[in-house]
């Protein structure tokens, strides 16, 4: 019997099965002319028994669609030997999404980046279908293929249009297609329960199927699961029709037991908290049974676009030793950004210290900067989040770890393969946690280095400010004294009275102000700068704290975990092959038993690596970080207070100088007026009064300048108040 079959330009082997369905099968084939690998869909006798218009519908649909996210039609040819037409399509070497989800690595759903890729590609494919007034009617992971392009990109594509047909959004249909777990409840009632419901169905049934598929991709499980699966059909219908609006999952764990309703995605799925929030809203809209709340395609495409357009911003929450992901709207600004950080970290907006690339993040973006213009972050190069008030660092490892299964004493090739697959699933969970904690270990060292750099930069900046201020005060003192002396000389020339007492007091006062506000403040700044910039006290303290601690990057914990998982998967594949052969020879059974032993041993090793090496290591590192941050936070606060003191004094000094100079201008204007009156050839009584008035103004202005100078005693009081917290911080140290 020949396994080779062919058409005019293609040939395929019936042993190379890619998939089978009720109406036919898909085989891997090859183009006779250029050797290009292809997928060939053939049809069985049951398919040929369908009405002719139904048989050709798939051909018509495939000819109409042309999109990157829909499997490309290459040809429709007659099979040799007169077996009917075949559909030749591009070969998707990545397999179906169903098979991908069936891999133990994805037992709890796809990784976040891959999930977003599926969401983007499938919604784009569906958009193309709707633009052409087509409804798929059998959306499910088995009909979604993974294509690997020549440049290595992954592209997910819709396939199997055997149930597809043209349908306007406001049109209805009555025929039944689809897979029962993914069917809209109204279709399920008629197709599965066989109830004589006279309902018609619209194009939005695809949205329900997409919602179930999306939940499956996110979690690795179906959203609606009665106990016993398909045999419990009435409960399945009850779950999907009686659930409240906003409920995205319902599970029954015992025969006739209660339904566990859920409005959130499970904690064990691989999506971050930041993405879960948006995906949950999307699922709630897609899995809506209330006819008044069912989404339109337009609403669906809008919501998906809203998710995909958000900017991913990586945050490392130092106080919890935890990586956080913010999906930020491109038009939102800094206030919304801080609010979203607070939602995920519990660090109040006013207490957030955000550092990025050795700088404060608020110095990189402005309050009004839209999210689309925020700098790119990476998981290994995030924004570091510290708290101003909370200097505790607490590491809370994930507590729920699935249990490694144990093999029974007797050998069963059927059950052993399933147990091995479960062991691989648990092993992948351990591996992901080990990788995550290893990244946190490295980020902890990085955050210490960045915080220390920022503190050093701030202390250097304050020192430079202080030196600049000292120069400005000296210059201002000389200028003011010069003004005062010139003013006194003018008064002496005009009145014949010499008064240097005020000048001496002003000069003494300025010297005192300069000493207390500049020298004393400068001393505190210089001491901090010397200790933490020149002598690098914080860096040395961190080196002391972590000396002797196990470094996960040096022990290569993540790399070891990946090696162990490969061993587990090799053993699982071995047991899968044994299951396929059914009967084992004596020697084969001995090797089978050895693989079972190997799975148990490797599982124990990877679990021990996580629980006895990685978690204790990151816990000790967190404790060291807590000790270090208590010290460094104090230095940081001192630097901020000193910076504020310098700025405050600079502002007050500028105001004081401006007041004195203004008074000096007015003073000399009065002198000029008095001189003009005195030089007049005839002094009338009225002019004499004006002259006396001018003299009074001069003396008044002189007193005003003196009062202004004495008012700067308030600066001294303010300085004492500002430096009080510094003294308290020193006392705490």
């Amino acid at each position: 019997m020949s396994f080779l079959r062919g058409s005019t330009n293609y040939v395929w082997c019936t042993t190379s099965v890619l998939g089978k369905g009720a109406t036919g099968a898909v085989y891997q084939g090859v183009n006779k002319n250029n050797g290009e690998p292809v997928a060939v869909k053939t049809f069985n006798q049951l398919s040929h028994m369908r009405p002719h218009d139904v048989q050709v519908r798939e051909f018509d649909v495939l000819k109409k669609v042309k999109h990157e996210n829909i499997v490309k039609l290459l040809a429709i040819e007659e099979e040799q030997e007169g077996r009917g037409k075949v559909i030749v399509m591009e070969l998707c070497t990545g397999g179906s999404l169903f098979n991908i989800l069936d891999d133990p690595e994805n037992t709890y759903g796809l990784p976040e980046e891959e999930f977003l890729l599926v969401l983007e590609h499938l919604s784009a494919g569906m958009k193309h279908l709707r633009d052409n007034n087509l409804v798929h009617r059998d959306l499910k992971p088995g009909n979604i293929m993974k294509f690997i392009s020549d440049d290595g990109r992954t592209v997910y594509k819709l396939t199997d249009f055997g149930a597809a047909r043209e349908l306007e959004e406001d049109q209805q249909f009555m025929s039944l297609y689809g897979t029962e777990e993914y069917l809209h409840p109204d279709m399920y009632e008629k197709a599965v329960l066989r109830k004589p419901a006279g309902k018609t169905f619209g194009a939005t049934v695809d949205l329900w199927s997409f919602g179930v598929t999306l939940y499956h991709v996110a979690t690795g499980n179906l959203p609606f699961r009665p106990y016993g699966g398909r045999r419990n059909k009435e409960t399945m219908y009850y779950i999907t029709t009686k659930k409240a609006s906003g409920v995205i999952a319902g599970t029954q764990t015992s025969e006739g037991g209660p339904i566990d309703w859920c409005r959130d995605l499970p904690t064990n799925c691989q999506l971050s908290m930041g993405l879960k929030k948006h995906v949950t809203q999307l699922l709630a809209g897609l899995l809506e049974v209330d006819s008044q709340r069912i989404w339109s395609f337009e609403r669906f495409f809008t919501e998906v676009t809203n998710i995909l357009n958000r900017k991913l911003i990586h945050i490392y929450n130092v106080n919890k030793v935890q990586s956080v992901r913010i999906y930020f709207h491109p038009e939102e600004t800094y206030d919304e950004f801080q609010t979203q950080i607070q939602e995920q970290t519990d660090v109040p907006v006013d207490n957030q210290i955000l550092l990025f690339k050795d700088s404060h993040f608020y110095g990189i973006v402005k309050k009004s900067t839209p999210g689309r213009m925020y700098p790119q972050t990476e998981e290994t190069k995030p924004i570091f989040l510290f708290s101003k008030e909370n200097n505790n660092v607490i590491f809370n490892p994930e507590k729920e770890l699935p249990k490694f299964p144990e093999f029974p004493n007797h050998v069963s090739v059927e059950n052993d393969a399933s147990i091995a697959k479960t062991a691989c699933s648990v092993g992948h969970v351990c591996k992901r946690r080990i990788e995550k904690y290893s990244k946190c270990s490295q980020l902890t060292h990085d955050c210490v280095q960045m915080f220390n750099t920022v503190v050093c930069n701030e202390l250097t900046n304050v020192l430079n400010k202080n030196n600049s201020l000292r120069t400005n005060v000296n210059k201002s003192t000389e200028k003011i004294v010069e003004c005062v002396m010139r003013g006194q000389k003018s008064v002496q020339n005009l009145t014949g009275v010499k008064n240097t007492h005020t000048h001496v007091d002003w000069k003494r006062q300025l010297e005192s102000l300069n000493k207390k506000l500049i020298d004393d403040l400068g001393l505190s700044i210089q001491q901090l700068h010397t200790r933490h910039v020149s002598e690098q006290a914080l860096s040395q303290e961190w080196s002391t704290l972590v000396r002797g601690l196990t470094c996960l990057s040096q022990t290569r914990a993540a790399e070891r975990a990946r090696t162990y998982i490969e061993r587990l998967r090799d053993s699982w594949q071995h047991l899968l092959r044994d299951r396929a052969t059914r009967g084992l020879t004596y020697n084969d059974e001995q090797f089978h038993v050895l693989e079972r032993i190997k799975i148990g041993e490797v599982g124990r090793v990877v679990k021990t690596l996580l629980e006895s090496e990685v978690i204790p290591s990151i816990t000790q590192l967190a404790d060291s970080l807590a000790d270090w941050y208590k010290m460094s936070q104090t230095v940081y606060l001192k630097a901020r207070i000193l910076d504020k003191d310098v700025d405050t004094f600079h502002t007050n000094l500028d105001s004081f100088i401006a007041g004195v100079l203004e008074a000096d201008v007015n003073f000399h204007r009065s002198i000029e007026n008095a001189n003009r009156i005195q030089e007049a050839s005839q002094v009338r009584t009225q002019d004499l009064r004006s002259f006396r008035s001018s003299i009074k103004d001069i003396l008044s202005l002189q007193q005003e300048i003196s009062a202004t100078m004495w008012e700067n005693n308030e600066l001294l009081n303010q300085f004492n108040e500002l430096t009080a917290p510094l003294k308290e911080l020193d006392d705490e140290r």
Side-chain angles (χ1 to χ4, degrees):
M1 180 179 177
S2 175
F3 295 107
L4 282 179
R5 289 162 63 177
S7 62
T8 304
N9 295 295
Y10 299 91
V11 63
W12 60 94
C13 183
T14 55
T15 58
S16 299
V17 183
L18 297 176
K20 282 191 174 183
T23 58
V26 181
Y27 303 100
Q28 182 168 339
V30 65
N31 187 314
K32 295 178 183 178
N33 303 311
N34 57 22
E36 176 190 11
V38 296
V40 181
K41 182 175 183 179
T42 65
F43 298 90
N44 58 24
Q45 190 60 37
L46 178 63
S47 171
H48 296 314
M49 294 172 60
R50 297 177 299 170
H52 179 71
D53 64 325
V54 175
Q55 292 183 47
V56 300
R57 187 182 289 161
E58 183 171 4
F59 305 150
D60 294 338
V61 168
L62 284 171
K63 290 175 183 176
K64 190 173 182 179
V65 296
K66 187 177 181 181
H67 191 272
E68 184 184 26
N69 300 117
I70 293 176
V71 171
K72 184 190 300 182
L73 172 67
L74 300 178
I76 297 175
E77 296 190 353
E78 283 285 345
E79 185 178 355
Q80 294 169 350
E81 302 179 8
R83 289 192 175 95
K85 292 184 181 296
V86 297
I87 298 174
V88 184
M89 301 166 287
E90 62 183 345
L91 179 65
C92 297
T93 55
S96 74
L97 189 54
F98 177 83
N99 290 333
I100 293 170
L101 289 168
D102 193 47
D103 189 286
E105 183 176 6
N106 302 317
T107 297
Y108 301 101
L110 295 185
E112 189 160 301
E113 290 75 14
E114 200 73 9
F115 171 86
L116 287 171
L117 210 58
V118 172
L119 176 62
E120 178 185 358
H121 293 177
L122 296 192
S123 58
M126 288 183 66
K127 178 75 164 57
H128 183 70
L129 293 182
R130 287 316 307 150
D131 289 344
N132 287 275
N133 295 321
L134 294 169
V135 57
H136 190 282
R137 297 197 293 183
D138 195 17
L139 286 172
K140 60 181 180 180
N143 287 338
I144 298 163
M145 305 301 294
K146 182 178 181 178
F147 180 83
I148 309 297
S149 64
D150 292 340
D151 60 4
R153 290 185 306 116
T154 293
V155 183
Y156 287 96
K157 298 173 178 273
L158 292 172
T159 189
D160 194 351
F161 289 87
R165 58 163 289 180
E166 277 197 60
L167 193 75
E168 300 283 348
E169 192 158 352
D170 57 354
Q171 281 185 301
Q172 304 288 308
F173 65 92
M174 294 189 67
S175 50
L176 298 170
Y177 292 92
T179 305
E180 59 181 84
E181 288 86 357
Y182 301 88
L183 280 178
H184 187 278
D186 290 346
M187 293 187 74
Y188 187 93
E189 180 184 21
K190 186 175 181 180
V192 180
L193 299 182
R194 306 291 182 183
K195 292 186 178 181
K199 294 180 179 178
T200 57
F201 318 108
T204 53
V205 296
D206 271 359
L207 293 181
W208 177 277
S209 300
F210 186 87
V212 176
T213 298
L214 200 62
Y215 186 95
H216 192 174
V217 172
T219 67
N221 286 305
L222 291 164
F224 309 115
R225 287 174 285 154
Y227 183 79
R230 284 190 172 185
R231 69 176 178 82
N232 206 339
K233 302 181 188 304
E234 290 287 349
T235 304
M236 177 68 167
Y237 182 68
Y238 173 83
I239 292 174
T240 56
T241 56
K242 300 303 180 184
K243 74 177 191 66
S245 181
V247 169
I248 62 173
T251 308
Q252 186 185 46
T253 55
S254 61
E255 188 73 54
I259 310 299
D260 295 326
W261 305 106
C262 191
R263 294 177 178 270
D264 301 303
L265 289 166
T267 56
N268 59 14
C269 85
Q270 297 195 57
L271 304 189
S272 65
M273 186 188 303
L275 184 60
K276 279 182 179 179
K277 177 176 67 173
H278 303 294
V279 172
T280 300
Q281 294 172 355
L282 179 63
L283 289 171
L286 293 171
L287 301 175
E288 181 59 71
V289 289
D290 186 341
S291 59
Q292 302 300 314
R293 299 185 179 185
I294 291 176
W295 279 12
S296 64
F297 277 95
E298 182 180 2
R299 172 76 184 278
F300 164 64
F301 294 132
T302 298
E303 294 294 335
V304 170
T305 300
N306 177 51
I307 293 175
L308 296 177
N309 283 348
R310 289 179 174 270
K311 190 182 187 78
L312 171 58
I313 301 178
H314 294 275
I315 308 287
Y316 186 64
N317 182 7
V318 175
N319 295 87
K320 290 186 178 179
V321 195
Q322 176 188 60
S323 291
V324 174
R325 294 185 174 199
I326 303 291
Y327 282 85
F328 200 47
H329 192 278
E331 299 306 319
E332 289 178 328
T333 54
Y334 196 72
D335 288 341
E336 289 86 2
F337 180 57
Q338 286 194 288
T339 300
Q340 291 182 41
I341 292 176
Q342 181 175 342
E343 288 175 359
Q344 290 198 49
T345 64
D346 297 327
V347 179
V349 168
D350 292 340
N351 290 341
Q352 292 174 13
I353 303 173
L354 298 174
L355 306 181
F356 184 63
K357 292 186 175 179
D358 296 339
S359 300
H360 282 279
F361 191 64
Y362 62 71
I364 299 173
V365 300
K366 297 179 181 178
K367 280 269 188 181
S368 58
T369 302
R372 67 177 181 277
M373 297 178 66
Y374 277 33
Q376 290 294 124
T377 60
E378 300 174 23
E379 189 173 18
T380 56
K381 296 178 181 177
I383 297 170
F384 289 103
L385 168 68
F386 296 81
S387 174
K388 290 180 184 176
E389 292 192 356
N390 179 16
N391 54 23
N392 289 322
V393 178
I394 301 175
F395 170 65
N396 288 317
E398 298 173 76
K399 301 191 182 305
E400 294 182 8
L401 179 67
K403 186 178 180 181
F404 271 100
E406 295 182 359
F407 289 96
N409 292 329
H410 66 280
V411 173
S412 168
V413 291
E414 187 68 33
N415 293 335
D416 288 352
S418 297
I419 293 172
K421 181 180 178 182
T422 302
C424 282
S425 297
V426 179
H428 276 291
V429 173
C430 291
K431 177 182 78 76
R432 284 194 290 269
R433 293 188 185 180
I434 290 169
E435 289 173 336
K436 179 170 70 173
Y437 296 154
S438 295
K439 290 175 183 175
C440 288
S441 175
Q442 182 58 53
L443 287 172
T444 298
H445 287 281
D446 293 345
C447 82
V448 166
Q449 181 178 349
M450 186 174 293
F451 194 88
N452 182 59
T453 299
V454 169
V455 169
C456 289
N457 289 343
E458 293 209 353
L459 286 172
T460 300
N461 182 55
V462 173
L463 181 65
N464 292 336
K465 272 186 182 182
N466 181 69
N467 292 338
S468 176
L469 185 59
R470 179 192 296 273
T471 302
N472 289 340
V473 168
N474 290 334
K475 289 181 179 179
S476 299
T477 301
E478 293 174 2
K479 190 172 183 180
I480 290 172
V481 169
E482 181 183 341
C483 290
V484 170
M485 292 179 66
R486 188 172 66 249
Q488 293 211 356
K489 185 175 181 180
S490 298
V491 171
Q492 183 178 354
N493 291 338
L494 186 64
T495 64
V497 178
K498 183 177 181 180
N499 180 11
T500 59
H501 176 71
T502 303
H503 164 241
V504 173
D505 287 345
W506 288 344
K507 187 175 180 181
R508 187 184 301 117
Q509 186 179 357
L510 280 169
E511 290 172 349
S512 175
L513 190 66
N514 185 39
K515 177 176 176 52
K516 291 187 176 180
L517 285 178
I518 301 302
D519 291 350
D520 293 353
L521 187 63
L523 181 60
S524 298
I525 294 171
Q526 186 62 60
Q527 287 175 343
L528 275 178
H529 187 274
T530 299
R531 177 161 175 73
H532 298 292
V533 178
S534 303
E535 298 175 357
Q536 286 291 303
L538 290 178
S539 290
Q540 292 180 14
E541 181 66 22
W542 177 248
S543 298
T544 301
L545 287 169
V546 298
R547 188 176 296 129
L549 294 186
T550 302
C551 180
L552 295 180
S553 61
Q554 292 178 352
T555 62
R556 299 182 63 80
E559 290 79 5
R560 287 155 58 200
R562 288 192 279 271
T563 300
Y564 298 146
I565 298 310
E566 286 305 315
R567 292 178 186 172
L568 279 178
R569 292 182 66 89
D570 287 345
S571 296
W572 167 56
Q573 291 294 325
H574 187 118
L575 297 191
L576 274 181
R577 291 191 294 271
D578 287 351
R579 183 169 69 179
T581 60
R582 297 294 178 179
L584 298 177
T585 65
Y586 174 79
N587 288 336
D588 287 340
E589 185 172 322
Q590 299 309 304
F591 282 111
H592 182 97
V593 171
L594 288 175
E595 292 298 338
R596 295 193 343 160
I597 295 172
K598 178 180 169 184
I599 288 172
E601 181 62 21
V602 174
R604 183 190 64 77
V605 170
V606 73
K607 184 180 179 183
T608 300
L609 173 60
L610 171 64
E611 296 181 338
S612 301
E613 181 176 330
V614 173
I615 291 179
S617 173
I618 194 73
T619 301
Q620 292 172 352
L621 187 65
D623 291 341
S624 297
L625 179 61
D627 293 338
W628 183 85
Y629 188 51
K630 286 179 175 63
M631 176 187 301
S632 57
Q633 184 198 42
T634 301
V635 179
Y636 173 83
L637 292 175
K638 282 183 178 181
R640 302 296 288 177
I641 291 171
L642 288 170
D643 186 66
K644 184 179 179 182
D645 289 350
V646 172
D647 286 343
T648 299
F649 178 63
H650 197 285
T651 300
N652 291 338
L653 181 65
D654 286 345
S655 177
F656 165 70
I657 292 171
V660 170
L661 293 178
E662 181 180 1
D664 183 64
V665 170
N666 293 334
F667 174 79
H668 284 90
R669 190 176 292 131
S670 299
I671 291 291
E672 290 173 3
N673 290 336
N675 283 329
R676 282 198 298 272
I677 296 171
Q678 190 178 38
E679 291 170 358
S681 58
Q682 293 180 347
V683 180
R684 297 185 296 273
T685 304
Q686 183 177 355
D687 294 331
L688 186 58
R689 290 198 195 97
S690 298
F691 177 73
R692 289 174 177 171
S693 176
S694 297
I695 295 300
K696 288 181 179 179
D697 289 342
I698 293 169
L699 295 175
S700 176
L701 283 170
Q702 197 175 33
Q703 291 172 358
E704 180 182 335
I705 295 173
S706 178
T708 302
M709 298 292 288
W710 280 109
E711 283 175 3
N712 276 278
N713 284 324
E714 290 299 315
L715 285 176
L716 296 173
N717 295 331
Q718 290 177 22
F719 173 72
N720 291 331
E721 293 176 2
L722 288 169
T723 53
L726 282 176
K727 294 178 180 178
E728 293 176 5
L729 289 172
D730 283 329
D731 292 343
E732 291 177 6
R733 288 287 307 279

